[in-house]
Amino acid sequence: MQRADTIGVFQIESRAQMATLPRLRPEKFYDVVIEVAIIRPGPIVGNLVHPYINRRNKREEVTYIDPRFEQVLERTLGVPLFQEQILRMAMVIADFTGSEAEELRRAMSFHRSEERMLKVMAKLRAAMDQKGVIKDTQDRIVNAIKSFALYGFPESHAISFALLAYASAWLKTHRAVEFYASLLNNQPMGFYSCATLIKDAQLRGIRVLPVSVIDSELGARVLNDRTLQLGLKQVRGLSRESAERLLESREKGAWESLDDFRLRSRLKKDEARVLAKIGALNGMVAHRREALWQVEKSIERDLFNWQVRGEKASMPLRPMEKRERLEADYAGLGLTVGPHPMALIRKDLAHVWKASDLVRGKDGQIVIIAGLVICRQRPSTAKGHVFVSLEDETGIANAFVPAPTFEVYRLVVN
């Protein structure tokens, strides 16, 4: 977590979370609770993120808005992050009863009305007036409540989310192959595509085997503690029904040849073509183009047997080149287990920095980055700024595009 190596990790894999993790540097479980809660619209709009991080890193003194809030806000360094803290603050500073605090909670809920919120705020200010709370303190309390009005996040939820985030990070660290296989088998989910998850796994030293009709299962499977294999359901253009029929036929005996595979699997020709293009038939032929050549042969059925029509002819097609295999992989799978696309053009990009080299950049230095756009975000809290994540063969580079620049290059960025 401290390195922000969290692609695929529940709740803390977004660009904003990954930018915050090295600054927050979680050391214990409650730090993860804070991390989960602080990167949300409420704390961001309320300008609470930087004060908390500055206080945690001893760059800013811890204050509590009012000394009476020390017990309520001590565990979050004087920064109100949780809905429960807001309610407790109202009970401490304005003697709100439990039912009045519940009224405030409901007013802060997502479906609250402006009229209801104004009514509760007026009641809160009147109670603080009676207790002699100065106006500046009142304003800070009211602003804290308003920043949570639409996006209040309970501490109990943050704790539950943090537990899942910790468990996900533990699995990625100690059971990485199972971690990636599970993510691949439960798509769509999270921020990242299967292609990015595969490349992240490979950067961690995990070997990812391609789809093969000889031994792939329906989903990705774990072969050993350093190897996983893609499943048939990853193939675009192969229906689940056909994949299951293929597996059922294979259970009765291994394929004796490509012809035997076609006869027994009874796939549609376009499905067989997709499998040939992505190399899923390579265990029975020399290369992908030979498989494509072979699957074009017609199959006829007489009264008793399936038969392949035509004599076996010599194969006149040359093997696919790297770029052709890459194109076929992305068309048929949406990913590749081979070289990253950037690796194939790296020799022509000597002026472009690799993502892994950016740590050596100096403040103010101009650098050029390039890669596949895997994430593009323009959150409502970012005041028109845009965040773009570019993936190359060494990792991910995150680019910040200021709002004025985005307006000039909107068509390019989009």
Side-chain angles (χ1 to χ4, degrees):
M1 290 184 185
Q2 291 181 358
R3 296 194 306 271
D5 181 14
T6 54
I7 287 177
V9 177
F10 178 77
Q11 279 292 305
I12 54 173
E13 64 173 348
S14 70
R15 184 212 58 80
Q17 291 280 7
M18 293 173 75
T20 306
L21 282 165
R23 299 164 62 201
L24 189 63
R25 294 188 62 81
E27 297 175 351
K28 56 182 183 293
F29 179 73
Y30 198 75
D31 294 340
V32 186
V33 176
I34 297 292
E35 176 72 37
V36 165
I38 203 167
I39 302 301
R40 293 189 178 275
I44 292 172
V45 171
N47 195 30
L48 304 177
V49 179
H50 294 300
Y52 180 85
I53 292 177
N54 288 337
R55 294 176 186 192
R56 177 176 168 80
N57 294 327
K58 312 298 184 185
R59 293 194 297 266
E60 182 179 309
E61 181 185 357
V62 176
T63 59
Y64 296 101
I65 304 177
D66 186 281
R68 287 167 282 190
F69 291 151
E70 181 171 356
Q71 186 176 0
V72 179
L73 301 178
E74 183 178 14
R75 64 186 182 279
T76 55
L77 306 183
V79 177
L81 291 180
F82 301 113
Q83 194 177 81
E84 293 92 336
Q85 290 177 304
I86 295 294
L87 303 183
R88 188 63 186 165
M89 286 166 63
M91 297 173 79
V92 168
I93 202 72
D95 290 334
F96 264 33
T97 63
S99 60
E100 289 172 323
E102 174 62 14
E103 183 183 359
L104 174 59
R105 186 195 67 78
R106 290 180 179 177
M108 289 192 300
S109 70
F110 186 79
H111 299 292
R112 58 93 174 166
S113 68
E114 185 69 23
E115 181 182 356
R116 191 171 187 177
M117 176 58 79
L118 290 174
K119 181 180 177 181
V120 176
M121 289 298 98
K123 186 174 184 178
L124 179 66
R125 281 190 181 273
M128 288 191 289
D129 283 337
Q130 285 188 349
K131 292 198 67 175
V133 179
I134 63 174
K135 187 177 184 305
D136 179 63
T137 300
Q138 288 190 27
D139 291 341
R140 294 176 66 187
I141 294 169
V142 169
N143 288 336
I145 292 174
K146 285 183 176 179
S147 70
F148 275 76
L150 289 176
Y151 305 103
F153 200 67
E155 185 180 37
S156 55
H157 290 192
I159 291 171
S160 298
F161 282 19
L163 180 59
L164 292 174
Y166 179 83
S168 298
W170 189 96
L171 286 169
K172 183 170 183 175
T173 301
H174 299 288
R175 305 293 299 191
V177 179
E178 289 87 345
F179 172 80
Y180 287 106
S182 298
L183 288 178
L184 292 172
N185 288 338
N186 288 280
Q187 292 296 314
M189 63 181 297
F191 278 79
Y192 302 101
S193 67
C194 290
T196 295
L197 294 173
I198 291 295
K199 291 307 171 189
D200 191 59
Q202 290 174 326
L203 288 174
R204 298 178 75 86
I206 293 173
R207 186 184 180 199
V208 182
L209 300 183
V211 176
S212 171
V213 298
I214 294 175
D215 51 10
S216 282
E217 299 296 339
L218 186 62
R221 65 181 184 129
V222 175
L223 299 182
N224 55 52
D225 62 358
R226 302 308 300 168
T227 311
L228 67 85
Q229 183 177 37
L230 297 182
L232 291 169
K233 72 176 186 179
Q234 189 69 50
V235 182
R236 297 175 174 177
L238 179 67
S239 71
R240 188 182 185 94
E241 179 184 3
S242 294
E244 290 175 346
R245 185 173 64 248
L246 185 158
L247 293 172
E248 184 178 337
S249 299
R250 195 179 71 194
E251 286 179 1
K252 299 175 182 178
W255 317 119
E256 295 179 5
S257 64
L258 181 53
D259 288 343
D260 179 52
F261 165 76
R262 294 184 64 208
L263 289 169
R264 290 165 52 200
S265 65
R266 292 176 289 143
L267 296 181
K268 298 175 184 177
K269 184 166 285 189
D270 58 349
E271 292 178 319
R273 286 173 182 150
V274 171
L275 291 172
K277 285 180 180 179
I278 65 172
L281 305 180
N282 278 8
M284 297 175 284
V285 292
H287 54 77
R288 301 186 191 197
R289 281 219 170 91
E290 181 177 352
L292 281 167
W293 179 264
Q294 296 295 334
V295 299
E296 291 303 318
K297 293 189 298 185
S298 297
I299 296 181
E300 293 181 342
R301 186 179 186 183
D302 60 22
L303 292 176
F304 304 101
N305 299 295
W306 288 92
Q307 294 181 341
V308 178
R309 184 175 64 190
E311 297 297 324
K312 187 173 182 178
S314 60
M315 215 295 298
L317 303 176
R318 58 175 174 75
M320 289 185 180
E321 297 178 353
K322 286 183 179 180
R323 293 196 183 197
E324 292 172 317
R325 292 198 298 272
L326 178 70
E327 183 179 347
D329 285 347
Y330 273 94
L333 294 167
L335 57 84
T336 183
V337 301
H340 190 280
M342 285 295 294
L344 300 185
I345 59 173
R346 178 60 64 183
K347 65 180 184 300
D348 300 321
L349 300 174
H351 60 296
V352 174
W353 285 53
K354 295 179 180 178
S356 59
D357 292 338
L358 291 175
V359 293
R360 300 204 299 267
K362 295 180 172 53
D363 185 28
Q365 182 178 5
I366 296 177
V367 301
I368 299 175
I369 60 176
L372 295 179
V373 177
I374 62 170
C375 186
R376 187 187 293 103
Q377 292 178 295
R378 194 187 187 197
S380 59
T381 55
K383 301 178 182 178
H385 303 313
V386 178
F387 305 91
V388 181
S389 296
L390 301 175
E391 177 191 83
D392 66 15
E393 70 273 35
T394 69
I396 297 174
N398 290 310
F400 169 73
V401 184
T405 305
F406 173 72
E407 292 303 325
V408 174
Y409 297 101
R410 176 188 290 268
L411 296 179
V412 176
V413 176
N414 280 337

